[in-house]
Amino acid sequence: MPPKKPVAKTGVKPKPKGAAGASSGAKKPTGAAPAKGTPAPATIAKEKPEEPKEIPEVKIVLKQLVDVLIKDTGDKIKESGKWPLVIDESDRVSTFLRYQDTNYLNAKNPGDMEPERIRMAIIGAIRFGKPVVLDMMDSNMINAAADKFDVVQKGLLESVMTKDILVDQRYKSLVKDSDPDEYTDQSSAFNHGMVDGFGFIVITSMASPPPELMQRTYVIRVQ
């Protein structure tokens, strides 16, 4: 049997077991690290909601009511271009105005909210130059009252609130042929001097009436 030939040495050492897979098992970085000096992404600051603006109001004591509300001393109500809203938690203003020369409507009294009662209260106050008083008592009755006024004429309360009813004698659309002569006689009914005395007063015993109503009115708070 011939002898085996010796293997020539190449000088290359064989790789140890597991060396081939060592590099494949190493974890690769998931992303490049941010360069030094690079600013972090800016965060967007949330804007704070605006706080509701305080609704201006005039604070008085009861003995000032005649001068401030009835006589409008200084023409403050007139200059505001709004009708007054009187806040009185004691109900004293309600009692006081009920016995003044006003056309008083209680928004919670079904009898006062009858269409004919509302119609005559409006045209009577315009004809004789005095205020209509809408008493909401201790509840938010403005929308309920608007619905009752709508039975008389669509949008009537809004027309009163904006004073549009006084423009171009629109109030005459409320007059019926069957009404007394003091409303139908063209020669004497609704002279300008009396019409100018018309007013509309909303009163409530709620400490915090609806903000929407307060924004539309000249607010007087009785302390």
Side-chain angles (χ1 to χ4, degrees):
M1 186 172 184
K4 293 181 180 179
K5 292 180 180 181
V7 179
K9 293 182 179 180
T10 61
V12 179
K13 293 182 179 180
K15 290 182 180 180
K17 290 181 179 180
S23 61
S24 62
K27 292 183 179 179
K28 295 181 180 180
T30 56
K36 290 183 179 180
T38 303
T43 56
I44 301 174
K46 293 182 179 179
E47 294 184 1
K48 293 182 179 179
E50 291 186 5
E51 295 183 0
K53 294 181 180 179
E54 186 176 352
I55 300 172
E57 57 182 51
V58 177
K59 296 179 180 179
I60 65 171
V61 294
L62 188 62
K63 66 181 182 180
Q64 296 175 293
L65 188 66
V66 172
D67 286 336
V68 175
L69 180 65
I70 306 299
K71 295 181 179 179
D72 189 19
T73 303
D75 291 333
K76 298 296 185 182
I77 298 174
K78 182 179 180 180
E79 289 175 359
S80 76
K82 303 175 180 179
W83 296 125
L85 167 66
V86 182
I87 302 171
D88 175 33
E89 296 178 60
S90 71
D91 284 331
R92 293 171 297 172
V93 172
S94 174
T95 303
F96 173 78
L97 290 177
R98 214 174 304 173
Y99 294 100
Q100 299 300 305
D101 187 19
T102 65
N103 286 354
Y104 176 87
L105 296 172
N106 184 336
K108 297 182 79 171
N109 184 336
D112 283 1
M113 291 292 99
E114 287 292 327
E116 190 63 9
R117 175 83 173 88
I118 294 171
R119 186 183 75 87
M120 291 306 298
I122 298 295
I123 63 171
I126 295 173
R127 168 65 179 82
F128 296 103
K130 55 185 180 180
V132 171
V133 176
L134 179 63
D135 190 351
M136 299 198 304
M137 306 294 284
D138 58 355
S139 305
N140 177 13
M141 298 295 294
I142 197 68
N143 290 333
D147 290 341
K148 297 296 185 182
F149 276 58
D150 278 350
V151 177
V152 180
Q153 188 178 88
K154 187 68 175 176
L156 177 58
L157 183 57
E158 180 67 13
S159 179
V160 172
M161 290 289 291
T162 59
K163 304 185 180 183
D164 284 349
I165 195 169
L166 301 175
V167 177
D168 297 330
Q169 299 183 328
R170 292 176 186 171
Y171 50 81
K172 287 189 174 182
S173 63
L174 297 173
V175 178
K176 296 179 179 180
D177 293 338
S178 57
D179 287 334
D181 291 345
E182 57 196 4
Y183 297 104
T184 58
D185 187 350
Q186 297 298 321
S187 62
S188 60
F190 301 106
N191 67 70
H192 291 293
M194 301 302 285
V195 171
D196 290 343
F198 171 73
F200 187 70
I201 302 170
V202 182
I203 60 177
T204 180
S205 60
M206 296 174 66
S208 301
E212 298 81 8
L213 178 61
M214 294 179 69
Q215 289 169 349
R216 299 189 66 186
T217 52
Y218 183 85
V219 182
I220 302 171
R221 188 180 294 273
V222 179
Q223 299 177 316

Coordinates of all heavy atoms in Angstrom, one line a residue, residues 59-123:
K59 N -75.2 98.9 38.6 CA -75.7 98.5 39.9 C -76.3 99.6 40.6 O -75.7 100.7 40.8 CB -74.6 97.8 40.7 CG -74.0 96.6 40.0 CD -72.8 96.0 40.8 CE -72.3 94.7 40.1 NZ -71.2 94.1 40.9
I60 N -77.5 99.4 41.1 CA -78.2 100.5 41.8 C -78.9 99.9 43.0 O -79.1 98.7 43.2 CB -79.3 101.2 40.9 CG1 -80.4 100.2 40.5 CG2 -78.6 101.8 39.6 CD1 -81.6 100.8 39.8
V61 N -79.4 100.8 43.9 CA -80.3 100.4 44.9 C -81.7 100.8 44.5 O -81.9 101.6 43.6 CB -80.0 101.1 46.3 CG1 -78.6 100.6 46.7 CG2 -79.9 102.6 46.1
L62 N -82.7 100.2 45.2 CA -84.1 100.4 44.8 C -84.6 101.8 44.7 O -85.3 102.2 43.7 CB -85.1 99.7 45.7 CG -86.5 99.6 45.3 CD1 -86.7 98.8 44.0 CD2 -87.4 98.9 46.4
K63 N -84.1 102.7 45.6 CA -84.6 104.1 45.5 C -84.1 104.9 44.3 O -84.6 105.9 44.0 CB -84.1 104.8 46.8 CG -82.7 105.0 47.0 CD -82.4 105.7 48.3 CE -80.9 106.0 48.5 NZ -80.6 106.7 49.8
Q64 N -83.1 104.3 43.6 CA -82.6 104.9 42.4 C -83.3 104.4 41.1 O -83.1 104.9 40.0 CB -81.1 104.6 42.2 CG -80.2 105.1 43.2 CD -78.7 104.6 43.1 OE1 -78.4 103.5 43.2 NE2 -77.8 105.6 42.7
L65 N -84.3 103.5 41.3 CA -84.9 102.9 40.1 C -85.7 103.9 39.3 O -85.6 103.8 38.0 CB -85.9 101.8 40.6 CG -86.5 100.9 39.5 CD1 -85.5 100.1 38.9 CD2 -87.6 100.0 40.1
V66 N -86.4 104.8 39.9 CA -87.2 105.8 39.1 C -86.2 106.6 38.2 O -86.5 106.8 37.0 CB -88.0 106.7 40.0 CG1 -88.7 107.8 39.2 CG2 -89.1 105.9 40.7
D67 N -85.2 107.2 38.8 CA -84.2 108.0 38.0 C -83.5 107.2 36.9 O -83.4 107.7 35.8 CB -83.2 108.7 39.0 CG -83.8 109.8 39.8 OD1 -84.8 110.4 39.4 OD2 -83.2 110.1 40.9
V68 N -83.1 106.0 37.3 CA -82.3 105.3 36.3 C -83.1 104.6 35.2 O -82.8 104.7 34.1 CB -81.4 104.2 37.0 CG1 -80.7 103.3 36.0 CG2 -80.4 104.9 38.0
L69 N -84.2 104.0 35.7 CA -85.1 103.2 34.7 C -86.2 104.0 34.1 O -86.4 104.0 32.9 CB -85.6 102.0 35.4 CG -86.5 101.1 34.6 CD1 -85.7 100.4 33.5 CD2 -87.2 100.0 35.5
I70 N -87.0 104.7 34.9 CA -88.2 105.4 34.4 C -87.8 106.7 33.7 O -88.2 106.9 32.6 CB -89.2 105.6 35.6 CG1 -89.5 104.3 36.3 CG2 -90.5 106.2 35.0 CD1 -90.2 103.2 35.4
K71 N -87.1 107.5 34.4 CA -86.7 108.8 33.9 C -85.5 108.8 33.0 O -85.3 109.7 32.1 CB -86.5 109.8 35.0 CG -87.7 110.1 35.9 CD -87.3 111.1 37.0 CE -88.6 111.5 37.8 NZ -88.2 112.4 38.9
D72 N -84.7 107.7 33.1 CA -83.5 107.6 32.3 C -82.6 108.9 32.4 O -82.2 109.5 31.4 CB -83.8 107.3 30.8 CG -82.5 106.9 30.0 OD1 -81.5 106.5 30.7 OD2 -82.6 107.0 28.8
T73 N -82.4 109.3 33.6 CA -81.6 110.5 33.9 C -80.2 110.3 33.3 O -79.5 109.4 33.5 CB -81.5 110.8 35.4 OG1 -82.8 110.9 35.9 CG2 -80.7 112.0 35.7
G74 N -79.8 111.3 32.5 CA -78.5 111.2 31.8 C -78.6 110.5 30.4 O -77.6 110.4 29.8
D75 N -79.8 110.0 30.1 CA -80.0 109.3 28.8 C -79.1 108.1 28.6 O -78.7 107.8 27.4 CB -79.9 110.3 27.6 CG -81.0 111.4 27.6 OD1 -82.1 111.0 28.1 OD2 -80.7 112.5 27.1
K76 N -78.7 107.5 29.6 CA -77.8 106.3 29.5 C -78.4 105.2 28.7 O -77.8 104.5 27.9 CB -77.4 105.8 30.9 CG -76.6 106.9 31.7 CD -75.3 107.2 31.0 CE -74.5 108.2 31.9 NZ -73.2 108.6 31.3
I77 N -79.7 104.9 29.0 CA -80.4 103.8 28.3 C -80.6 104.2 26.9 O -80.4 103.3 26.0 CB -81.8 103.5 29.0 CG1 -81.5 103.0 30.4 CG2 -82.5 102.4 28.2 CD1 -82.8 102.8 31.2
K78 N -81.1 105.4 26.6 CA -81.3 105.8 25.3 C -80.0 105.8 24.4 O -80.0 105.3 23.3 CB -81.9 107.3 25.3 CG -82.2 107.8 23.9 CD -82.8 109.2 24.0 CE -83.1 109.8 22.6 NZ -83.7 111.2 22.7
E79 N -78.9 106.2 25.0 CA -77.7 106.2 24.2 C -77.1 104.8 24.0 O -76.4 104.6 23.0 CB -76.6 107.1 25.0 CG -76.9 108.6 25.0 CD -75.9 109.3 25.9 OE1 -75.1 108.7 26.5 OE2 -76.1 110.6 26.0
S80 N -77.5 103.9 24.8 CA -77.0 102.5 24.6 C -77.7 101.9 23.3 O -77.2 100.9 22.8 CB -77.3 101.6 25.8 OG -78.7 101.3 25.9
G81 N -78.9 102.4 23.0 CA -79.6 101.8 21.8 C -80.3 100.5 22.2 O -80.8 99.8 21.3
K82 N -80.3 100.2 23.5 CA -80.9 98.9 23.9 C -82.1 99.1 24.8 O -82.2 100.2 25.4 CB -79.8 98.0 24.6 CG -78.6 97.7 23.7 CD -77.6 97.0 24.5 CE -76.3 96.7 23.7 NZ -75.3 95.9 24.5
W83 N -82.9 98.1 25.0 CA -83.9 98.1 26.0 C -83.3 97.6 27.3 O -82.4 96.8 27.3 CB -85.1 97.3 25.6 CG -85.9 97.7 24.4 CD1 -86.2 96.9 23.3 CD2 -86.5 99.0 24.2 NE1 -87.0 97.6 22.4 CE2 -87.2 98.9 22.9 CE3 -86.6 100.1 24.9 CZ2 -87.9 100.0 22.4 CZ3 -87.3 101.2 24.4 CH2 -87.9 101.1 23.2
P84 N -83.8 98.0 28.5 CA -83.2 97.6 29.7 C -83.7 96.2 30.2 O -84.8 95.8 29.9 CB -83.8 98.7 30.7 CG -85.0 99.2 30.1 CD -84.8 99.1 28.6
L85 N -82.8 95.5 30.8 CA -83.0 94.3 31.5 C -82.7 94.5 33.0 O -81.6 94.8 33.3 CB -82.1 93.1 31.0 CG -82.1 91.9 31.8 CD1 -83.4 91.1 31.8 CD2 -81.0 90.9 31.3
V86 N -83.8 94.4 33.8 CA -83.6 94.7 35.3 C -83.5 93.3 36.0 O -84.4 92.5 35.9 CB -84.8 95.5 35.8 CG1 -84.5 95.8 37.3 CG2 -84.9 96.8 35.0
I87 N -82.4 93.1 36.7 CA -82.2 91.9 37.5 C -82.5 92.3 39.0 O -81.8 93.1 39.6 CB -80.8 91.4 37.4 CG1 -80.5 91.1 35.9 CG2 -80.6 90.2 38.2 CD1 -79.0 90.8 35.6
D88 N -83.5 91.7 39.6 CA -83.8 91.9 41.0 C -84.2 90.6 41.6 O -85.4 90.2 41.4 CB -84.9 93.0 41.0 CG -85.4 93.2 42.5 OD1 -84.6 93.1 43.4 OD2 -86.6 93.5 42.7
E89 N -83.4 90.1 42.4 CA -83.7 88.8 43.1 C -84.7 88.9 44.1 O -85.3 87.9 44.6 CB -82.4 88.2 43.6 CG -81.3 87.9 42.6 CD -80.0 87.4 43.2 OE1 -80.1 86.3 43.8 OE2 -79.0 88.0 43.0
S90 N -85.0 90.1 44.6 CA -86.0 90.3 45.6 C -87.5 90.4 45.1 O -88.4 90.4 45.9 CB -85.7 91.5 46.5 OG -85.9 92.7 45.7
D91 N -87.6 90.6 43.8 CA -89.0 90.8 43.2 C -89.6 92.1 43.6 O -90.8 92.4 43.2 CB -89.9 89.7 43.6 CG -89.7 88.4 42.9 OD1 -89.2 88.5 41.7 OD2 -90.0 87.3 43.4
R92 N -88.9 93.0 44.2 CA -89.4 94.3 44.5 C -89.7 95.2 43.3 O -90.7 95.9 43.2 CB -88.5 95.1 45.4 CG -88.3 94.5 46.8 CD -87.2 95.2 47.6 NE -85.9 95.0 46.9 CZ -84.8 95.6 47.3 NH1 -84.8 96.5 48.4 NH2 -83.7 95.4 46.7
V93 N -88.9 95.0 42.3 CA -89.0 95.8 41.0 C -90.3 95.3 40.3 O -91.1 96.2 39.8 CB -87.8 95.7 40.1 CG1 -88.1 96.3 38.7 CG2 -86.6 96.3 40.7
S94 N -90.6 94.0 40.3 CA -91.8 93.5 39.7 C -93.0 94.1 40.3 O -93.9 94.6 39.6 CB -91.8 92.0 39.8 OG -93.0 91.4 39.4
T95 N -93.0 94.2 41.6 CA -94.2 94.7 42.4 C -94.3 96.2 42.0 O -95.4 96.7 41.8 CB -94.0 94.5 43.9 OG1 -93.9 93.1 44.1 CG2 -95.2 95.1 44.6
F96 N -93.2 96.9 42.0 CA -93.2 98.4 41.8 C -93.8 98.7 40.4 O -94.6 99.5 40.2 CB -91.8 98.9 41.9 CG -91.6 100.4 41.6 CD1 -92.1 101.4 42.4 CD2 -91.1 100.7 40.3 CE1 -91.9 102.7 42.1 CE2 -91.0 102.0 40.0 CZ -91.4 103.0 40.8
L97 N -93.2 98.0 39.4 CA -93.6 98.3 38.0 C -95.1 97.9 37.7 O -95.7 98.5 36.8 CB -92.7 97.6 37.0 CG -91.3 98.2 37.0 CD1 -90.4 97.4 36.0 CD2 -91.3 99.7 36.6
R98 N -95.6 96.9 38.4 CA -96.9 96.5 38.2 C -97.9 97.6 38.5 O -99.0 97.6 37.9 CB -97.2 95.2 39.1 CG -98.1 94.2 38.5 CD -98.2 93.0 39.3 NE -96.9 92.4 39.6 CZ -96.7 91.4 40.4 NH1 -97.7 90.8 41.1 NH2 -95.5 90.9 40.6
Y99 N -97.6 98.4 39.4 CA -98.5 99.5 39.8 C -98.1 100.9 39.3 O -98.6 101.9 39.7 CB -98.5 99.6 41.4 CG -99.2 98.3 42.0 CD1 -98.4 97.3 42.5 CD2 -100.5 98.1 42.0 CE1 -98.9 96.1 43.0 CE2 -101.1 97.0 42.5 CZ -100.3 96.0 43.0 OH -100.9 94.8 43.5
Q100 N -97.2 100.9 38.3 CA -96.9 102.1 37.5 C -97.7 102.1 36.3 O -98.5 101.2 36.0 CB -95.4 102.1 37.2 CG -94.5 102.2 38.5 CD -94.7 103.3 39.4 OE1 -94.7 104.5 38.9 NE2 -95.0 103.1 40.6
D101 N -97.6 103.2 35.5 CA -98.3 103.3 34.2 C -97.6 102.5 33.2 O -96.9 103.1 32.3 CB -98.4 104.8 33.8 CG -99.3 105.0 32.6 OD1 -100.1 104.1 32.3 OD2 -99.2 106.1 32.0
T102 N -97.7 101.2 33.3 CA -97.1 100.3 32.3 C -98.1 99.3 31.8 O -99.1 99.1 32.5 CB -95.9 99.6 33.0 OG1 -96.4 98.7 34.0 CG2 -94.9 100.5 33.6
N103 N -97.8 98.6 30.7 CA -98.5 97.5 30.3 C -97.7 96.2 30.7 O -96.8 95.9 30.0 CB -98.8 97.5 28.8 CG -99.8 98.6 28.4 OD1 -100.4 99.2 29.3 ND2 -100.0 98.8 27.1
Y104 N -98.1 95.6 31.8 CA -97.4 94.6 32.4 C -97.8 93.2 31.9 O -99.0 92.9 31.8 CB -97.6 94.6 33.9 CG -96.9 93.5 34.7 CD1 -95.6 93.6 35.2 CD2 -97.7 92.4 35.0 CE1 -95.0 92.6 35.9 CE2 -97.1 91.4 35.8 CZ -95.8 91.5 36.2 OH -95.2 90.5 36.9
L105 N -96.8 92.4 31.5 CA -97.1 91.0 31.0 C -96.2 90.1 31.8 O -95.0 90.2 31.8 CB -96.7 90.9 29.5 CG -97.5 91.7 28.5 CD1 -96.9 91.6 27.1 CD2 -99.0 91.3 28.5
N106 N -96.8 89.1 32.5 CA -96.1 88.1 33.2 C -95.9 86.9 32.3 O -96.9 86.2 31.9 CB -96.9 87.7 34.5 CG -96.2 86.7 35.3 OD1 -95.3 85.9 34.8 ND2 -96.6 86.6 36.6
A107 N -94.7 86.6 31.9 CA -94.4 85.5 31.0 C -94.8 84.1 31.4 O -95.0 83.2 30.6 CB -92.9 85.5 30.6
K108 N -95.1 84.0 32.7 CA -95.5 82.7 33.3 C -97.0 82.6 33.5 O -97.5 81.6 34.0 CB -94.7 82.4 34.6 CG -93.2 82.3 34.4 CD -92.4 81.9 35.6 CE -92.5 80.5 36.0 NZ -91.6 80.1 37.1
N109 N -97.7 83.7 33.2 CA -99.1 83.7 33.4 C -99.8 83.5 32.1 O -99.7 84.3 31.2 CB -99.5 85.1 34.0 CG -101.0 85.2 34.3 OD1 -101.8 84.5 33.7 ND2 -101.4 86.1 35.2
P110 N -100.5 82.3 31.9 CA -101.1 82.0 30.6 C -102.1 83.1 30.1 O -102.1 83.4 28.9 CB -101.9 80.7 30.9 CG -101.2 80.1 32.1 CD -100.7 81.3 32.9
G111 N -102.7 83.8 31.1 CA -103.7 84.8 30.7 C -102.9 86.0 30.0 O -103.4 86.6 29.0
D112 N -101.8 86.4 30.6 CA -101.0 87.5 30.0 C -100.4 87.1 28.7 O -100.0 88.0 27.9 CB -99.9 87.9 31.0 CG -100.4 88.7 32.2 OD1 -101.6 89.0 32.2 OD2 -99.6 89.1 33.0
M113 N -100.2 85.8 28.4 CA -99.6 85.4 27.2 C -100.6 85.0 26.1 O -100.3 84.5 25.1 CB -98.7 84.2 27.4 CG -97.4 84.5 28.2 SD -96.2 85.6 27.4 CE -96.6 87.2 28.1
E114 N -101.9 85.4 26.3 CA -102.9 85.3 25.3 C -102.6 86.2 24.1 O -102.1 87.4 24.4 CB -104.3 85.5 25.8 CG -104.8 84.4 26.7 CD -105.1 83.2 26.0 OE1 -105.5 83.3 24.8 OE2 -105.0 82.1 26.5
P115 N -102.7 85.8 22.9 CA -102.4 86.7 21.7 C -103.0 88.1 21.8 O -102.3 89.1 21.5 CB -102.9 85.9 20.5 CG -102.9 84.4 21.0 CD -103.2 84.5 22.5
E116 N -104.3 88.1 22.1 CA -105.0 89.4 22.1 C -104.4 90.3 23.3 O -104.3 91.5 23.1 CB -106.5 89.3 22.3 CG -107.3 90.5 22.1 CD -107.2 91.1 20.7 OE1 -106.6 90.4 19.8 OE2 -107.6 92.2 20.4
R117 N -104.1 89.7 24.4 CA -103.5 90.5 25.5 C -102.1 91.1 25.1 O -101.8 92.2 25.4 CB -103.4 89.6 26.7 CG -102.7 90.2 27.9 CD -103.6 91.0 28.7 NE -103.0 91.5 29.9 CZ -102.3 92.6 30.0 NH1 -102.1 93.4 29.0 NH2 -101.7 93.0 31.2
I118 N -101.3 90.3 24.4 CA -100.0 90.7 23.9 C -100.2 91.8 22.9 O -99.5 92.9 23.0 CB -99.2 89.6 23.4 CG1 -98.9 88.5 24.5 CG2 -98.0 90.1 22.7 CD1 -98.3 87.2 23.9
R119 N -101.1 91.6 22.0 CA -101.3 92.6 20.9 C -101.7 94.0 21.4 O -101.1 95.0 21.1 CB -102.3 92.1 19.9 CG -102.5 93.0 18.7 CD -103.6 92.4 17.8 NE -105.0 92.7 18.3 CZ -105.7 93.8 18.1 NH1 -105.1 94.8 17.4 NH2 -106.9 94.0 18.6
M120 N -102.7 94.0 22.3 CA -103.1 95.2 22.9 C -102.1 95.9 23.8 O -102.0 97.1 23.9 CB -104.4 95.0 23.6 CG -105.6 94.6 22.8 SD -105.9 95.8 21.4 CE -106.3 97.3 22.3
A121 N -101.3 95.0 24.5 CA -100.2 95.6 25.3 C -99.2 96.4 24.5 O -98.8 97.5 24.9 CB -99.5 94.5 26.1
I122 N -98.9 95.8 23.3 CA -97.9 96.5 22.4 C -98.5 97.7 21.8 O -97.9 98.8 21.9 CB -97.4 95.5 21.3 CG1 -96.7 94.3 21.9 CG2 -96.5 96.2 20.4 CD1 -95.5 94.6 22.7
I123 N -99.6 97.6 21.1 CA -100.1 98.8 20.4 C -100.6 99.9 21.4 O -100.6 101.1 21.2 CB -101.2 98.5 19.4 CG1 -102.5 97.9 20.1 CG2 -100.7 97.5 18.3 CD1 -103.7 97.7 19.1

